[in-house]
Amino acid sequence: MSLAHTTVLLWAWGSLQAFEIVEKENIFQKTPCPAFLMFDNAAYLADMSFELPCHCKPEEVSAVVWYYQEHPGSSHTKVLTDFDGRVLTEAAQVRVGSDMLVRFSIRMFSLLVFRAQPEDSGLYFCGTRKGDYFYAYDVDIQSSAGMVATFKDKGQEPFEDERLGNLRVFTTFWEWTPCDRCGVRGERWRIGLCYLQSPDLSPRYHKTLPNVVSCGSRAVPRKLRNTARDHTPELLVQSCMVPCERMTIRKSMMAVFDYVSKVGSRPWVPQVPIQFHQQRLGHGLIISCPGARPEHAVAWDKDSQHLYRTEYLKGVNRSMRVFIDHGNQLHIRFTQLSDRGIYYCWRQGVQIAGFRLTVTSLGHYQVSLSDPETRSALQLTLLGYLLITAVFVTIHLCRCCRYLFCFPSSLP
């Protein structure tokens, strides 16, 4: 092939790539904004992060502002904007319980909300500083507090649909996660959120199926929403088994190991990064898997013991001291000496990290209100005082009533 032909081909390839880029940049020209603002329904589980794309906007608008309202027509509106030097929020910097104003980012006209909470449910509008709206969402964040786990290996089945006249309440399951372990028996699961079907829904809301939206949608009348409140999200768990992918080790490292093994015993080399942590005896501990989200397949092992959700999922046993919550975090309440060891974390079927835990009864422990054990102790103390006060007041009220009704003549 001559130099001229090669030049023409490279020019044509570059033109195609440029055409591709222009098409991606002009995507808003092909998506006209609706004349009448509609709401797209979207449902998520608490502590999940989600993205809301601004699917349409006028071409002359170079930056968007997102607005939040808890209820339609509410006078209290939150303005979500990255203007005026705001630093973009990263998911790793977000803490549980933080206000939504420090848990969001706007990137390429899309709104990202990190670790969403049920109080973040509401209406989200994409618009301008002047208050012109282009696109809107109806977001329903469902709490995981009352989530019901169903284990297929035990023969359990998900809840049946509930029917009350024209109202049908049911669970819509997401796709199965990958197997959380490889080479050994693992588990996979799928999250199910509450949805309902009714002809009495507001027509201003987009629906993927006729008359079907999530249970917490603003399209649902308040009366129907209260009826569906008892239908909690579900978690369907099933055993699985997948092989591990072969991992190659550098020849240089193998040469060092062979040399050391000839000189003496082969040293223990961890397969994943190990983090060391020292915990005071009797205090609680929460371990998170690095980079894991609630929708990820996450598993925990203690040394060679596999901590399966069938036995260690939160809510399986009320008296559990060691359990895994619905956000994939490992909880150890009232740490004991037997809890010492290495806790390995699996994410999406790959072991990625380990935590070597040592338990000590020595040293000074600084009490903090951020410690869940401290908060529990304060709550129990206040509850005890309230009970004692209620009993004291009740006894004196009874004595006063008895005195008034039994000895009325003795009154002045």
Side-chain angles (χ1 to χ4, degrees), residues 64-66 79-84 86 104 106 129:
V64 298
V65 177
W66 282 86
V79 182
L80 311 177
T81 173
D82 282 339
F83 295 157
D84 302 327
R86 179 179 177 84
F104 82 94
I106 298 178
R129 274 185 168 182

Side-chain angles (χ1 to χ4, degrees), residues 296-317:
H296 282 166
V298 177
W300 292 94
D301 297 339
K302 180 189 177 183
D303 296 326
S304 59
Q305 178 189 1
H306 305 305
L307 307 180
Y308 291 112
R309 277 174 164 74
T310 311
E311 302 175 3
Y312 289 92
L313 184 64
K314 180 181 180 181
V316 173
N317 188 348

Side-chain angles (χ1 to χ4, degrees), residues 274-295:
I274 300 293
Q275 179 180 345
F276 295 86
H277 181 78
Q278 184 175 347
Q279 182 70 10
R280 185 175 171 83
L281 182 67
H283 292 273
L285 177 65
I286 302 176
I287 309 176
S288 300
C289 191
R293 298 196 298 269
E295 62 269 27

Side-chain angles (χ1 to χ4, degrees), residues 31-237:
T31 310
C33 293
F36 187 71
L37 192 64
M38 301 285 288
F39 297 94
D40 282 353
N41 179 237
Y44 303 94
L45 190 66
D47 286 332
M48 285 186 175
S49 301
F50 62 87
E51 177 182 359
L52 303 178
C54 188
H55 285 302
C56 74
K57 69 175 185 64
E59 188 179 2
E60 63 272 10
V61 175
S62 59
V64 298
V65 177
W66 282 86
Y67 298 87
Y68 166 78
Q69 287 183 357
E70 185 176 359
H71 301 288
S74 174
S75 59
H76 181 64
T77 302
K78 288 184 179 181
V79 182
L80 311 177
T81 173
D82 282 339
F83 295 157
D84 302 327
R86 179 179 177 84
V87 179
L88 292 178
T89 305
E90 295 294 338
Q93 301 173 358
V94 175
R95 296 183 178 180
V96 178
S98 302
D99 188 79
M100 185 176 60
L101 293 177
V102 297
R103 286 188 287 104
F104 82 94
S105 281
I106 298 178
R107 300 177 185 176
M108 294 299 293
F109 310 114
S110 296
L111 176 69
L112 281 74
V113 179
F114 302 104
R115 308 201 73 163
Q117 301 301 313
E119 52 268 22
D120 297 336
S121 300
L123 305 177
Y124 290 80
F125 303 87
C126 173
T128 63
R129 274 185 168 182
K130 297 180 181 179
D132 299 326
Y133 298 150
F134 315 130
Y135 209 84
Y137 288 90
D138 165 39
V139 178
D140 174 23
I141 309 298
Q142 300 186 11
S143 174
S144 60
M147 178 179 284
V148 178
T150 303
F151 302 99
K152 295 201 68 176
D153 296 342
K154 296 183 178 180
Q156 301 175 356
E157 295 294 335
F159 289 151
E160 296 182 355
D161 297 354
E162 302 176 22
R163 294 183 180 273
L164 297 172
N166 294 329
L167 175 65
R168 182 172 74 98
V169 184
F170 58 96
T171 300
T172 298
F173 285 95
W174 293 11
E175 294 292 331
W176 287 100
T177 65
C179 198
D180 59 7
R181 294 177 178 87
C182 68
V184 296
R185 184 179 74 86
E187 293 174 328
R188 61 174 186 164
W189 58 90
R190 59 195 307 188
I191 297 172
L193 299 180
C194 177
Y195 278 76
L196 59 82
Q197 183 178 23
S198 173
D200 301 327
L201 303 178
S202 173
R204 288 197 62 184
Y205 295 79
H206 282 298
K207 309 168 186 69
T208 54
L209 294 175
N211 298 326
V212 174
V213 292
S214 61
C215 294
S217 169
R218 268 49 185 175
V220 182
R222 187 177 299 274
K223 182 179 179 180
L224 296 182
R225 199 184 309 170
N226 293 334
T227 304
R229 183 172 297 173
D230 295 335
H231 195 96
T232 58
E234 297 183 58
L235 185 69
L236 195 59
V237 184

Side-chain angles (χ1 to χ4, degrees), residues 199-403:
D200 301 327
L201 303 178
S202 173
R204 288 197 62 184
Y205 295 79
H206 282 298
K207 309 168 186 69
T208 54
L209 294 175
N211 298 326
V212 174
V213 292
S214 61
C215 294
S217 169
R218 268 49 185 175
V220 182
R222 187 177 299 274
K223 182 179 179 180
L224 296 182
R225 199 184 309 170
N226 293 334
T227 304
R229 183 172 297 173
D230 295 335
H231 195 96
T232 58
E234 297 183 58
L235 185 69
L236 195 59
V237 184
Q238 185 181 36
S239 296
C240 56
M241 184 79 176
V242 296
C244 292
E245 297 181 0
R246 298 183 62 183
M247 302 182 65
T248 58
I249 303 177
R250 297 183 199 174
K251 294 182 179 180
S252 57
M253 295 294 294
M254 290 298 296
V256 173
F257 292 160
D258 292 339
Y259 175 77
V260 174
S261 62
K262 291 178 182 178
V263 175
S265 61
R266 182 177 297 224
W268 175 75
V269 178
Q271 298 180 355
V272 294
I274 300 293
Q275 179 180 345
F276 295 86
H277 181 78
Q278 184 175 347
Q279 182 70 10
R280 185 175 171 83
L281 182 67
H283 292 273
L285 177 65
I286 302 176
I287 309 176
S288 300
C289 191
R293 298 196 298 269
E295 62 269 27
H296 282 166
V298 177
W300 292 94
D301 297 339
K302 180 189 177 183
D303 296 326
S304 59
Q305 178 189 1
H306 305 305
L307 307 180
Y308 291 112
R309 277 174 164 74
T310 311
E311 302 175 3
Y312 289 92
L313 184 64
K314 180 181 180 181
V316 173
N317 188 348
R318 294 185 179 180
S319 60
M320 298 174 68
R321 192 181 59 85
V322 179
F323 61 90
I324 303 171
D325 65 16
H326 297 294
N328 296 323
Q329 295 177 321
L330 180 65
H331 293 245
I332 303 177
R333 301 179 58 194
F334 310 111
T335 311
Q336 300 177 359
L337 294 177
S338 59
D339 294 326
R340 291 179 294 188
I342 302 179
Y343 293 84
Y344 293 101
C345 165
W346 299 71
R347 188 185 67 198
Q348 299 293 88
V350 179
Q351 194 177 87
I352 62 168
F355 301 86
R356 181 186 287 274
L357 176 64
T358 58
V359 181
T360 177
S361 58
L362 302 177
H364 177 69
Y365 183 82
Q366 185 176 1
V367 178
S368 174
L369 289 177
S370 61
D371 186 359
E373 303 300 335
T374 304
R375 292 200 299 268
S376 299
L378 288 176
Q379 291 175 359
L380 290 175
T381 303
L382 292 175
L383 182 61
Y385 275 115
L386 289 175
L387 288 175
I388 293 173
T389 303
V391 171
F392 179 80
V393 172
T394 303
I395 292 175
H396 279 272
L397 285 176
C398 292
R399 293 184 62 183
C400 290
C401 293
R402 179 175 175 271
Y403 185 81

